[in-house]
Amino acid sequence: MKNSGSIRVGIGGWVFPPWRGAFYPQGLRQAEELSYASRHVTAIEINGTFYRIQNPASIASGMTRRPTISCFSLRARAF
């Protein structure tokens, strides 16, 4: 049987203060965290969509800051 699927390793969001200095290099600006994370994982969940409807300009802005990632997961609202 031919295996044609792929496994993606990702994170559920990217703005986590405890990761600063641990996963993120010391001194990395918060505005650069998405870009940095996208070079180290293959999928990132966008948690903000769970809490409120996102402004299309915000989503577009985020897409320009992620140079290498090809998979985003949008988290649906719970209510």
Side-chain angles (χ1 to χ4, degrees):
M1 173 180 252
K2 182 180 177 185
N3 293 331
S4 61
S6 62
I7 296 173
R8 296 185 182 273
V9 177
I11 54 178
W14 62 91
V15 180
F16 301 111
W19 289 18
R20 295 179 185 136
F23 174 71
Y24 295 119
Q26 195 69 28
L28 184 71
R29 295 181 317 123
Q30 183 175 336
E32 298 298 319
E33 289 175 352
L34 174 57
S35 178
Y36 181 88
S38 74
R39 293 189 301 270
H40 293 85
V41 298
T42 57
I44 295 178
E45 180 180 82
I46 300 174
N47 284 330
T49 54
F50 179 76
Y51 300 104
R52 67 185 173 282
I53 296 173
Q54 299 295 302
N55 178 326
S58 295
I59 298 289
S61 172
M63 297 301 102
T64 63
R65 294 182 309 199
R66 51 94 186 134
T68 59
I69 200 151
S70 61
C71 183
F72 278 93
S73 165
L74 299 178
R75 189 172 177 194
R77 292 185 62 90
F79 49 92

